[in-house]
């Protein structure tokens, strides 16, 4: 073994979720399960590894994800694989592979789990991050599904006590009307060529719509004056968008039309949207919008993958973004303090009895904490204090001999001795 020090930091762009941070994640997962149940989404899990060409074809060659963000690898057998950068293509693959079109349609599924993109790490941006997504696949091409996905996503954020949620909503039309718009857009950008970044100069050649998705501040300024796609929608796309807006009105979705939302993936058509929350600065002076996730209709994806035309709509949130927004908005999701019981045992016979007592409590559905590996009364009391316990159950030699246990109220210091066989009932009474 070499003597070189091992690098003990997590890999760049990855992060640990430590025990004390888990409760927020658990709240989030619970919220996901809850809204999934309300709106009848079934869970689906797909592998982390997929074939490279799934995303090259599905997401599109001229997107940021495929151009520069994929973790690709070649197996010993020579297969080209990728750590999945997004969920929708993988779910479409599973839908085709397992003939899920034979189940009742539309199929409503949700997922959550890790995704991988080779991006420059910064606040809210990682190389391994988690997403939760909802998809409605197959059946009729009805705008009502667009709104069902949005209401599910909205209710998830509301269940996490977010306020000031807004949905930026747009339609990017179909292949036909988008082609006309692309020409207009290109003309506009040609006249502003000098103002935009290098990437955008390249985007003009291979994916003009992506010009509107650039985060460069000079490009953002140019974007403000760009032509709006909504003016160019064809009659069927216009009708579809109008119906989406009518349903959105009916449900009072907090939406605003934003003609510059285009999304970073190629498979989208018609409805696209992004979810934002307003975050106040620490001094309360300034608010900024944080993008938590987005989605849209992807009626072309199944054909791109060689399957028959299948209408679909979906969205995904970044889970780290949500957790960071919870912190930034000072949302308190901590559970109400429950009364905790702490077991203290001195000496081997007492420890034996203590172990059985913990089991007896567990059988009655009551959790008992302990620090039973420590020997002294002082050390164990200190541990009970750290836990914030309400009562200590103390077992010493004398108690073992008398088949009893001391219940000590840790706030008042008042204590009482009860028979071992009665202690569970006694604690139940106090809880
Ligand atoms: P962005 O514009 O922020 O790069 P995107 O267009 O790549 O997002 P999607 O691919 O639709 O967005 O992903 C949906 C959500 O997933 C994003 O809004 C964000 O919350 C989250 N997400 C995307 N990339 C990352 C990342 N590298 N790290 C953490 N979260 C991410
Ligand atoms: Mg991105």
């Amino acid at each position: 073994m070499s003597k070189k020090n091992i690098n003990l930091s997590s890999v760049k762009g990855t992060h640990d979720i430590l025990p004390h941070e888990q409760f927020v994640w658990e709240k989030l997962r619970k919220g996901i399960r809850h809204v999934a149940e309300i709106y009848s989404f079934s869970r689906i899990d797909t592998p982390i590894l997929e074939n490279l060409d799934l995303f090259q074809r599905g997401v599109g060659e001229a997107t940021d994800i495929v151009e520069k963000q994929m973790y690709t690898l070649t197996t010993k057998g020579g297969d080209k694989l990728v750590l999945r950068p997004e969920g929708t293509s993988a779910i479409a693959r599973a839908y085709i592979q397992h003939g899920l079109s034979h189940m009742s349609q539309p199929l409503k599924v949700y997922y959550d789990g890790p995704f991988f993109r080779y991006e420059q790490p910064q606040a809210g941006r990682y190389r391994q991050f988690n997403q939760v997504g909802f998809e409605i696949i197959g059946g009729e091409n009805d705008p009502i599904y667009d709104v069902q996905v949005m209401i599910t996503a909205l209710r998830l954020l509301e269940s996490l006590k977010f306020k000031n949620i807004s949905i930026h909503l747009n339609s990017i039309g179909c292949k036909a009307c988008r082609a006309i718009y692309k020409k207009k857009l290109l003309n506009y950008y040609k006249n502003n060529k000098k103002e935009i970044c290098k990437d955008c100069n390249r985007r003009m050649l291979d994916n003009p719509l992506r010009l509107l998705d650039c985060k460069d501040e000079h490009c953002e300024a140019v974007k403000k004056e760009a032509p709006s796609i909504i003016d160019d929608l064809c009659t069927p796309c216009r009708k579809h968008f109008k119906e989406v807006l009518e349903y959105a009105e009916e449900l009072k979705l907090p939406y605003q039309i934003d003609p510059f939302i285009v999304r970073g993936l190629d498979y989208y058509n018609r409805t696209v949207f992004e979810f934002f929350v307003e975050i106040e600065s620490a001094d309360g002076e300034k608010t900024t919008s944080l993008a938590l996730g987005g989605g849209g209709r992807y009626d072309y994806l199944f054909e791109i993958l060689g399957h028959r035309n299948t209408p679909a709509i979906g969205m995904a949130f970044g889970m780290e973004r949500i957790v960071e927004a919870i912190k930034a908005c000072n949302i308190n999701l901590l559970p109400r303090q429950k009364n905790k019981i702490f077991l203290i045992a001195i000496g081997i016979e007492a420890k034996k009895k203590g172990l059985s007592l913990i089991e007896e409590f567990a059988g009655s559905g009551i959790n008992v904490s302990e620090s039973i590996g420590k020997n002294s009364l002082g050390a164990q009391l200190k541990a009970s204090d750290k836990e914030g316990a309400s009562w200590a159950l103390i077992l010493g030699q004398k108690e073992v001999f008398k088949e009893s246990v001391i219940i000590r109220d840790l706030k008042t210091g008042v204590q009482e001795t009860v028979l071992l066989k009665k202690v569970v009932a006694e604690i139940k009474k106090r809880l």
Side-chain angles (χ1 to χ4, degrees):
M1 275 267 277
S2 112
K3 289 254 170 66
K4 216 181 115 204
N5 284 344
I6 304 172
N7 179 353
L8 291 176
S9 307
S10 59
V11 171
K12 184 173 176 185
T14 70
H15 65 103
D16 301 306
I17 304 172
L18 298 174
H20 67 272
E21 299 165 321
Q22 289 289 343
F23 78 92
V24 183
W25 285 82
E26 198 34 53
K27 275 271 175 203
L28 174 52
R29 291 192 194 102
K30 233 180 171 164
I32 293 166
R33 286 194 297 271
H34 182 67
V35 294
E37 199 168 314
I38 293 177
Y39 297 104
S40 311
F41 286 83
S42 310
R43 188 177 176 95
I44 183 166
D45 289 294
T46 61
I48 282 168
L49 286 171
E50 292 280 356
N51 286 309
L52 173 63
D53 53 4
L54 174 66
F55 298 102
Q56 283 177 331
R57 294 275 289 283
V59 174
E61 295 278 4
T63 57
D64 281 357
I65 291 182
V66 172
E67 262 178 2
K68 48 190 187 195
Q69 297 177 350
M70 289 218 286
Y71 276 91
T72 48
L73 59 105
T74 308
T75 65
K76 284 180 188 160
D79 294 333
K80 288 225 169 349
L81 305 183
V82 52
L83 302 183
R84 59 183 190 181
E86 61 103 32
T88 304
S89 303
I91 287 171
R93 194 262 312 135
Y95 180 93
I96 298 169
Q97 177 179 346
H98 303 289
L100 299 184
S101 60
H102 298 302
M103 296 174 71
S104 135
Q105 301 290 296
L107 183 76
K108 294 169 92 178
V109 288
Y110 80 97
Y111 60 89
D112 63 68
F115 292 87
F116 303 82
R117 294 184 195 174
Y118 195 77
E119 296 205 69
Q120 202 44 48
Q122 49 187 283
R125 201 172 285 286
Y126 300 90
R127 290 181 173 178
Q128 176 176 340
F129 58 98
N130 290 277
Q131 279 189 341
V132 46
F134 301 90
E135 318 276 358
I136 301 182
I137 304 173
E140 313 70 26
N141 186 344
D142 193 314
I144 203 159
Y145 298 132
D146 308 36
V147 177
Q148 280 188 336
V149 165
M150 285 188 263
I151 190 86
T152 306
L154 176 68
R155 293 290 182 251
L156 173 58
L157 294 185
E158 285 173 348
S159 78
L160 296 165
K161 302 193 195 167
F162 279 109
K163 300 199 175 71
N164 304 323
I165 304 165
S166 63
I167 307 172
H168 289 219
L169 184 57
N170 191 20
S171 171
I172 54 169
C174 62
K175 278 178 194 154
C177 53
R178 203 185 307 160
I180 299 168
Y181 173 70
K182 269 188 192 170
K183 272 194 196 134
K184 267 197 199 168
L185 189 67
L186 212 52
N187 264 334
Y188 169 77
Y189 271 91
K190 270 183 192 153
N191 294 328
N192 291 281
K193 229 175 144 161
K194 291 206 182 76
E195 321 290 326
I196 58 177
C197 72
K198 222 171 69 204
D199 277 346
C200 276
N201 267 289
R202 188 176 39 76
R203 287 182 185 124
M204 283 175 64
L205 301 175
D206 51 35
N207 199 347
L209 221 56
R210 301 271 304 124
L211 287 162
L212 298 176
D213 203 30
C214 187
K215 285 157 191 100
D216 180 281
E217 92 188 75
H218 301 285
C219 300
E220 293 253 12
V222 174
K223 180 171 86 177
K224 288 207 172 86
E225 304 296 321
S228 155
I229 190 161
I230 293 169
D231 301 332
D232 285 312
L233 294 179
C234 62
T235 309
C237 286
R238 187 174 291 276
K239 178 171 173 282
H240 189 278
F241 192 44
K242 200 173 144 255
E243 285 175 32
V244 169
L245 298 181
E246 279 169 22
Y247 289 130
E249 288 289 337
E250 179 66 31
L251 283 177
K252 301 194 171 61
L253 293 187
Y255 77 89
Q256 59 195 75
I257 295 175
D258 179 346
F260 301 130
I261 292 281
V262 290
R263 313 291 300 129
L265 300 84
D266 268 4
Y267 49 59
Y268 287 117
N269 69 312
R270 291 191 170 166
T271 312
V272 288
F273 56 87
E274 267 176 33
F275 274 75
F276 290 86
V277 286
E278 294 297 317
I279 292 181
E280 255 183 44
S281 61
D283 56 11
E285 297 267 293
K286 228 175 67 188
T287 59
T288 45
S289 296
L290 184 67
L292 297 183
R297 189 158 269 292
Y298 49 96
D299 297 332
Y300 295 134
L301 177 60
F302 288 83
E303 279 171 283
I304 293 173
L305 298 178
H307 192 66
R308 69 172 167 277
N309 178 301
T310 307
I313 170 112
M315 73 85 56
F317 281 123
M319 292 171 73
E320 279 79 359
R321 290 271 173 94
I322 290 183
V323 168
E324 278 161 32
I326 287 172
K327 280 189 204 139
C329 296
N330 286 316
I331 297 173
N332 183 6
L333 297 174
L334 275 172
R336 261 200 297 139
Q337 259 308 199
K338 274 201 262 167
N339 285 323
K340 280 192 187 165
I341 323 278
F342 199 93
L343 181 107
I344 293 173
I346 320 292
I348 189 149
E349 290 308 319
K351 287 186 182 187
K352 278 188 203 161
K353 276 268 185 291
L355 281 181
S356 308
L357 195 56
I358 291 172
E359 294 309 301
E360 202 185 325
F361 271 105
S364 301
I366 300 170
N367 295 338
V368 175
S369 329
E370 41 70 30
S371 189
I372 211 163
K374 295 189 169 72
N375 283 326
S376 77
L377 176 65
Q380 292 187 50
L381 270 173
K382 216 171 175 183
S384 74
D385 195 41
K386 251 191 180 165
E387 282 264 320
S390 306
W391 293 291
L393 306 174
I394 305 173
L395 282 165
Q397 251 176 355
K398 194 169 115 201
E399 284 71 34
V400 172
F401 182 70
K402 289 191 170 168
E403 295 275 325
S404 66
V405 56
I406 298 168
I407 303 176
R408 177 176 173 140
D409 185 321
L410 289 166
K411 284 178 194 108
T412 61
V414 175
Q415 50 185 52
E416 180 189 351
T417 303
V418 297
L419 284 176
L420 255 182
K421 61 179 186 220
K422 291 202 172 147
V423 67
V424 174
E426 175 60 30
I427 287 294
K428 266 190 175 165
K429 242 196 291 175
R430 297 190 182 199
L431 287 172

